[in-house]
């Protein structure tokens, strides 16, 4: 069984409802007002955390960096895109304060040591590491040295690389949790890899989850039924929004449905049913649905009962089918109609 980690005031681990992280990323496209609108929308949908991305272009990129998807007509390079969509430190602090006011954990993926330093000043309860950064050992060591939990996505890494990343974080002094993820946008169901969660849990004894890019709620729901302790999904206010992550995102309404599913799944998984005890508790209902012995037709007093004269009818409050051997061969003490159950006092002997 995996151990728990604590993210802010949320315990993440066995027996807990899954930590649900709504990834805004850069879908705000550099609009601070839109970013704040996402905080409110995510809170209203019932998620546990809102997550952004903190890119500092000069610390992270060069003009040689290509677009993953060339979607922007106003940015000549990805470097310019990082610069245009970045927020200042006071703006980040306002976003973090807004999230806390809405009872959300505030998270942001740091893509450079400089971004770690900035977010340390802003205040985050944990580090979320994107799949592309898991092999950045200096970055992992810097995060680990803060002694905050490090949540690692594994979408681009081999098992050996995952092990190395876990070792670096632990050696630096932090706890680890792991996300299975697939770095395809959007991901097909065939590439989700739900089986990897069990492999990661077995190998490292840590909370595991799914960081999903399918643009549907179904992988997250399936992962939670398999015991995922964390779920991360991208979110968009509207599928007509601008940005490369929109096709891999859930709408706010879908996010709300996912939070309801999360709570329902947690309730079901943490309340095992004892079938024997359940049968006892449901005895009154069982009697309504089961049957008792009755006559096929109206019969006069003195009739000797044979098996072919008997049938079973609801409710199950009379003579049970297992008592038929005690009934066959006995004589009716009085006339009995077929519209009621047979009773012991109807029989001689």
């Amino acid at each position: 069984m995996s151990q728990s980690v604590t993210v802010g005031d949320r315990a993440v681990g066995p027996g807990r409802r899954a930590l649900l992280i709504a990834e805004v990323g850069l879908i705000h496209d550099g609009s601070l007002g839109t970013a704040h609108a996402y905080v409110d929308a995510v809170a209203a949908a019932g998620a546990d955390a809102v997550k952004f991305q903190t890119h500092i272009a000069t610390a992270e990129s060069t003009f040689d960096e290509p677009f993953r998807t060339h979607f922007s007509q106003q940015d000549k390079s990805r470097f310019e895109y990082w610069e245009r969509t970045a927020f200042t430190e006071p703006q980040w602090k306002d976003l973090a304060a807004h999230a806390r006011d809405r009872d959300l954990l505030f998270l942001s993926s740091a893509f450079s040591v400089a971004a770690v330093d900035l977010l340390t000043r802003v205040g985050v309860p944990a580090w979320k590491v994107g799949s592309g950064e898991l092999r950045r050992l200096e970055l992992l060591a810097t995060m680990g040295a803060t002694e905050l939990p490090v949540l690692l996505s594994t979408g681009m890494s081999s098992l050996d690389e995952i092990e190395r990343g876990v070792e670096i974080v632990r050696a630096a002094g932090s706890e680890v949790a792991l996300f299975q993820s697939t770095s395809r946008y959007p991901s097909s169901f065939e590439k989700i890899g739900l089986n990897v969660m069990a492999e990661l849990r077995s190998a490292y004894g840590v909370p595991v989850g799914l960081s999903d890019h399918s643009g549907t709620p179904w992988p997250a729901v399936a992962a939670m039924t398999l015991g995922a302790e964390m779920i991360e999904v991208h979110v968009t206010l509207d599928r007509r929004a601008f940005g490369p992550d929109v096709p891999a995102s859930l709408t706010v309404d879908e996010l709300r449905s996912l939070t309801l599913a999360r709570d329902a799944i947690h309730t079901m998984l943490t309340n095992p049913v004892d079938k024997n005890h359940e049968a006892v508790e449901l005895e009154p209902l069982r009697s309504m649905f089961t049957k008792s012995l009755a006559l096929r037709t109206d019969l006069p007093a003195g009739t000797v009962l044979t098996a072919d004269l008997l049938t079973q009818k609801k409710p199950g409050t009379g003579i049970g089918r297992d008592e038929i051997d005690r009934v066959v061969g006995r004589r009716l003490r009085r006339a009995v109609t077929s519209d009621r159950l047979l009773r012991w006092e109807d029989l001689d002997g």
Side-chain angles (χ1 to χ4, degrees):
M1 180 178 291
S2 61
Q3 298 178 349
S4 295
V5 302
T6 301
V7 179
D9 61 353
R10 270 78 161 183
V12 182
R16 308 283 183 171
R17 70 177 193 172
L19 181 76
L20 183 53
I21 302 171
E23 160 80 81
V24 177
L26 294 178
I27 206 166
H28 53 71
D29 200 46
S31 166
L32 184 62
T34 300
H36 279 282
Y38 271 98
V39 171
D40 287 327
V42 166
D48 296 301
V50 62
K51 190 181 84 67
F52 295 88
Q53 295 178 10
T54 301
H55 296 273
I56 300 175
T58 54
E60 172 188 340
S61 184
T62 67
F63 286 110
D64 295 321
E65 183 186 10
F67 279 102
R68 187 185 79 219
T69 302
H70 193 81
F71 68 96
S72 175
Q73 300 302 313
Q74 65 187 117
D75 304 306
K76 294 180 181 179
S77 66
R78 209 170 189 198
F79 184 97
E80 291 180 356
Y81 173 63
W82 300 141
E83 285 197 315
R84 181 176 65 80
T85 56
F87 297 135
T88 66
E89 185 170 326
Q91 290 170 335
W92 279 121
K93 287 181 176 178
D94 284 345
L95 274 174
H98 185 185
R100 288 190 289 269
D101 287 344
R102 295 304 308 270
D103 196 30
L104 288 171
L105 298 170
F106 173 80
L107 300 172
S108 188
S109 293
F111 289 83
S112 64
V113 171
V116 172
D117 293 340
L118 186 156
L119 288 170
T120 299
R121 295 191 298 271
V122 169
V124 292
W127 301 105
K128 173 58 177 59
V129 180
S131 294
E133 310 305 307
L134 189 146
R135 292 171 291 174
R136 296 272 311 282
L137 302 186
E138 179 190 11
L139 184 64
L140 297 185
T142 302
M143 292 175 176
T146 67
E147 299 185 354
L148 294 173
V150 180
L151 317 180
L152 295 170
S153 279
T154 62
M156 296 184 186
S157 299
S158 67
L159 293 175
D160 286 343
E161 290 167 340
I162 295 168
E163 183 169 356
R164 181 61 176 154
V166 170
E167 290 175 350
I168 290 291
V169 171
R170 284 175 166 170
S174 286
E175 295 179 311
V176 179
L178 294 171
F179 283 97
Q180 160 58 8
S181 59
T182 300
S183 297
R184 302 168 190 267
Y185 306 88
S187 301
S188 67
F189 292 156
E190 292 84 355
K191 296 293 185 180
I192 297 299
L194 293 176
N195 61 292
V196 179
M197 293 192 303
E199 295 174 14
L200 296 176
R201 181 183 286 112
S202 175
Y204 301 107
V206 299
V208 300
L210 180 71
S211 179
D212 180 46
H213 308 119
S214 70
T216 77
W218 313 126
V221 170
M224 289 187 289
T225 64
L226 294 176
E229 292 138 340
M230 307 176 295
I231 295 293
E232 181 183 56
V233 291
H234 285 254
V235 64
T236 179
L237 294 177
D238 194 294
R239 292 205 185 280
R240 294 165 294 185
F242 177 76
D245 290 328
V246 173
S249 299
L250 301 187
T251 65
V252 173
D253 286 343
E254 288 172 329
L255 178 64
R256 176 57 181 162
S257 295
L258 187 59
T259 65
L260 296 174
R262 182 269 312 273
D263 295 345
I265 290 168
H266 172 69
T267 299
M268 290 183 280
L269 290 179
T270 55
N271 288 276
V273 170
D274 181 320
K275 291 296 288 182
N276 290 330
H277 181 70
E278 188 79 354
V280 172
E281 283 195 340
L282 293 176
E283 185 58 41
L285 190 60
R286 279 156 49 96
S287 297
M288 290 178 60
F289 281 90
T290 53
K291 297 179 180 180
S292 305
L293 292 178
L295 301 180
R296 291 184 181 276
T297 61
D298 298 348
L299 294 176
T303 302
V304 177
L305 294 178
T306 58
D308 62 308
L309 296 176
L310 299 170
T311 187
Q312 296 182 77
K313 296 182 179 181
K314 292 180 180 179
T317 54
I319 303 171
R321 174 66 177 79
D322 56 346
E323 301 277 12
I324 192 169
D325 290 342
R326 295 178 57 196
V327 173
V328 170
R330 295 173 72 170
R331 193 180 303 273
L332 290 180
R333 178 178 298 169
R334 52 179 164 245
V336 178
T337 60
S338 60
D339 58 3
R340 69 168 178 84
L341 299 180
L342 188 64
R343 304 173 188 138
W344 289 116
E345 55 265 32
D346 296 328
L347 306 176
D348 282 335

